């Protein structure tokens, strides 16, 4: 029906007859002449309907926003004074010679000229996706996926599919379960990732695998999470962690170069321990120059127990954030920051304004100054390199609370005070993660997953001292987002069983949940390693938005629901009977 897309017309087409299909973006009646902006997925072009062209005006007069039409006409150059530099097609226009209304549109539930609520945009997603901003994002996603396939195909990776209906295995989040009609009372699990299958493919001899694959996790959602998400899954045999990082870094660097014409440069590497110490986060945003500074040794003997308590606790931390020019913060603003860190479990936020650096104790203003002597204040100023006009913000609590609260505060202050450089890219590898972390009950959990290999120790050494073990794992971070993570995998049966035992998975449970993996590890398993990228998150960064729902055609809300289709919905009772499932109504609190 069409001969060319609207957005691809230019001066090279002047004099040509074209057929265009699309939607009316805007209509203007200027003294007899009717102008419309016709839109398709590639952009806009102006169409002019002239009364001298017989039979068109009656139809053109009925055109309204979002009518679906076909236009026939000739391309002509606009006069120099009428060139629209804000449109890619602004040097040309179409003189309409034919017009067919394919479908009319009722008044729109969305206003394309105003800001619509996200709920309304999701309800009418098929209309929202017509907006050029949205269609450009979806097209960029398609280009990113295409680039990934071309890059990996060229580098001898094989695209291999893995099952969607599989067995539940612990991966850190709750599984989505699918009941089996044939095996009543039994359930499949939708994969949180193809982790075990890609390892099995390495054991099968396919030494370079990839897949752009859907994954499913039933977890609490946020702006950069969805219950179903897309992963660029990569696995290799006979490659070290450094080699995996080299090839995947090259993938991202070349993607940014091709799609954005941006050179990300070499990615620096930082140990996990350093990232947590300096930034309170294992995915630090290096566009923000602010860093946390430890001061426990300075305040461990002060009278103020809020500081001294954590300073003398081996599981505690006292860290400060120095904000340049922050002495101008009002008490109201400081109270807002205090409330903010409370979200992360912090009980308060002590502060110290440096009004005159050279005046020492007399030059600071703080509600805790009375608990600190001159030597302590002098040491704090020296350690933090705080200058006149700065403010020092204190975090003192359990180490994990301080890391989360002060790490988040660092990001917020950086944005609020325009310290973070939003016009740069800051890639980073975070490496040398601990193998395990301890919860509040003293139980150990895998920092990445139970199939991650430790660095430079055997199974006996791992079991003897699991808390000190470092994993051969690595995360790629970009502008404060973890965009990819991976590791060298355990390829030895004895080591895998030792890791399971450390996690409290005893032999019978190992066989029940992972018997197929443990069996496979007995038959000449090659060393293997891999990495998985979050495609949605990568595209979100490429598009310059901070919400992955903006780059997914039909996303879910933070309540894991689809407002457009009203999913999830109540199942048909006959279908539940066939599956041998009964839905039990939750009892009210009164009962």
């Amino acid at each position: 029906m069409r001969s060319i897309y609207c957005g691809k017309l230019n001066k090279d087409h002047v004099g040509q007859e074209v057929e265009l299909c699309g939607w009316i973006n805007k209509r203007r009646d200027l003294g007899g002449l009717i102008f419309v902006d016709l839109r398709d997925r590639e952009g806009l072009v102006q169409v002019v309907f002239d009364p001298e062209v017989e039979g068109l005006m009656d139809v053109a007069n009925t055109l309204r926003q979002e009518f679906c039409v076909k236009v026939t006409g000739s391309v002509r150059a606009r006069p120099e004074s009428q060139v629209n530099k804000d449109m890619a097609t602004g040097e040309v226009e179409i003189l309409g010679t034919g017009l067919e209304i394919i479908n009319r549109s009722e008044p729109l539930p969305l206003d394309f000229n105003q800001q619509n609520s996200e709920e309304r945009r999701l309800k009418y997603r098929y209309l929202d996706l017509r907006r050029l901003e949205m269609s450009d994002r979806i097209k960029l996603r398609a280009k990113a996926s295409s680039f990934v396939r071309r890059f990996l195909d060229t580098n001898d990776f094989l695209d291999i599919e893995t099952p969607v209906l599989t067995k539940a295995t612990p991966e850190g989040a709750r599984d989505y379960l699918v009941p089996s009609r044939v095996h009543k009372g039994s359930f499949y699990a939708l994969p949180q990732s193809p982790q075990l299958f890609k390892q099995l493919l390495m054991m099968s001899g396919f030494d370079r695998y990839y897949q752009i694959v859907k994954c499913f996790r039933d977890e609490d959602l946020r702006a950069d999470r969805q219950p179903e998400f897309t992963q660029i899954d990569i696995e290799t045999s006979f490659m070290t962690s450094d080699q995996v990082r080299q090839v995947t870094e090259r993938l991202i660097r070349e993607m940014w170069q091709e799609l954005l014409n941006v050179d990300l440069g070499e990615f620096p590497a930082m140990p996990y321990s350093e990232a947590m110490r300096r930034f309170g986060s294992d995915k630090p945003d290096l566009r923000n120059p602010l860093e946390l500074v430890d001061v426990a040794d300075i305040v461990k003997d002060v009278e103020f127990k809020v500081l001294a308590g954590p300073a003398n606790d081996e599981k505690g931390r006292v860290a400060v954030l120095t904000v340049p020019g922050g002495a101008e913060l009002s008490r109201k603003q400081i109270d807002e920051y205090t409330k903010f860190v409370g979200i992360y479990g912090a009980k308060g936020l002590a502060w110290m304004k440096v009004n005159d650096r050279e005046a020492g104790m007399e030059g600071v203003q703080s509600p805790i100054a009375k608990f600190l002597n001159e030597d302590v204040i002098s040491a704090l100023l020296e350690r933090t390199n705080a200058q006149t006009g700065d403010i020092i913000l204190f975090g003192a609590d359990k180490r994990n609370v301080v890391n989360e609260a002060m790490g988040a505060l660092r990001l917020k202050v950086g944005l609020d005070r325009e310290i973070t450089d939003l016009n740069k890219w800051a890639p980073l590898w975070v490496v040398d993660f601990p193998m395990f972390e301890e919860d509040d009950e003293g139980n150990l959990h895998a920092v990445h997953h139970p199939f991650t290999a430790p660095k430079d120790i055997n199974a006996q050494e791992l079991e003897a001292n699991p808390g000190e073990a470092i994993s051969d794992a690595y995360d790629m971070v970009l502008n404060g987002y973890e965009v990819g993570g991976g590791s060298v995998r355990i390829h030895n049966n004895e080591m895998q069983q030792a890791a399971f035992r450390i996690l409290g998975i005893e032999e019978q449970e190992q066989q029940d949940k992972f018997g197929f993996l443990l069996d496979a590890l007995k038959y000449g398993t090659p060393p293997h390693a891999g990495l998985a990228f979050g495609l949605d998150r990568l595209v979100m960064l490429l598009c310059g938005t901070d919400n992955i729902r903006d780059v997914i055609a039909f996303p879910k809300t933070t309540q894991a629901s689809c407002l457009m289709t009203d999913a999830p919905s109540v199942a048909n009772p006959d279908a539940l009977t066939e599956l041998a499932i009964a839905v039990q109504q939750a009892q009210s609190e009164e009962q």
Side-chain angles (χ1 to χ4, degrees), residues 375-392:
D375 289 342
V376 168
I377 291 176
S378 178
L380 287 171
L381 295 176
E382 185 69 25
R383 177 76 56 86
T384 60
N385 195 32
Q387 302 299 313
T388 298
D390 295 349
I391 190 172
I392 302 172

Side-chain angles (χ1 to χ4, degrees), residues 153-164:
D153 289 343
T154 302
N155 284 275
D156 299 326
F157 286 83
L158 299 176
D159 182 359
I160 306 176
E161 292 184 346
T162 54
V164 174

Side-chain angles (χ1 to χ4, degrees), residues 30-31 41 74 81 158 203 206 223 249 294-295 297 302 579 588:
L30 302 180
R41 78 173 207 192
S74 58
S81 61
L158 299 176
M203 300 172 196
F206 300 101
E249 178 179 322
D294 285 302
V295 296
D297 58 316
V302 301
L579 293 167
S588 66

Side-chain angles (χ1 to χ4, degrees), residues 73-94:
S74 58
V75 183
R76 67 184 188 186
R78 290 199 199 186
E80 190 66 34
S81 61
Q82 296 178 21
V83 169
N84 186 345
K85 296 181 179 179
D86 295 328
M87 291 174 63
T89 61
E91 293 183 304
V92 298
E93 63 185 10
I94 309 300

Side-chain angles (χ1 to χ4, degrees), residues 293-428:
V293 175
D294 285 302
V295 296
D297 58 316
I298 297 175
V299 299
K300 63 185 179 66
D301 296 323
V302 301
E303 297 178 19
F304 192 45
K305 297 303 180 186
V306 170
L307 298 182
N312 288 283
D313 183 350
E314 63 178 13
K315 295 184 178 180
R317 184 181 186 189
V318 183
V320 299
L321 184 70
T322 303
V323 182
E328 68 183 17
L329 289 173
S330 67
R331 185 56 190 265
K332 180 181 178 182
Q333 290 172 307
I334 295 173
D335 287 345
E336 288 173 354
Y337 285 139
T338 303
K339 184 177 180 180
F340 175 79
V341 296
I343 297 171
Y344 301 90
K347 300 178 184 67
L349 184 67
W351 54 271
M352 179 183 293
K353 292 184 178 182
V354 184
N355 296 325
D356 185 350
R357 174 72 164 82
E358 301 303 319
M361 189 169 185
E362 299 300 319
V364 302
Q365 174 191 352
S366 170
I368 66 169
K370 59 187 176 183
F371 301 108
L372 311 178
N373 61 40
E374 190 162 356
D375 289 342
V376 168
I377 291 176
S378 178
L380 287 171
L381 295 176
E382 185 69 25
R383 177 76 56 86
T384 60
N385 195 32
Q387 302 299 313
T388 298
D390 295 349
I391 190 172
I392 302 172
L393 304 174
F394 292 77
D397 211 308
K398 295 295 184 184
R399 183 178 294 109
N400 64 318
V401 173
V402 172
N403 288 341
E404 288 192 29
M406 297 301 286
L409 182 63
R410 169 184 172 269
L411 297 178
K412 181 170 177 56
V413 168
L415 293 173
D416 288 351
R417 300 191 60 78
E418 299 183 349
I419 296 170
T420 302
D421 186 352
L422 299 178
N423 297 313
K424 66 183 287 189
W425 294 96
L428 175 71

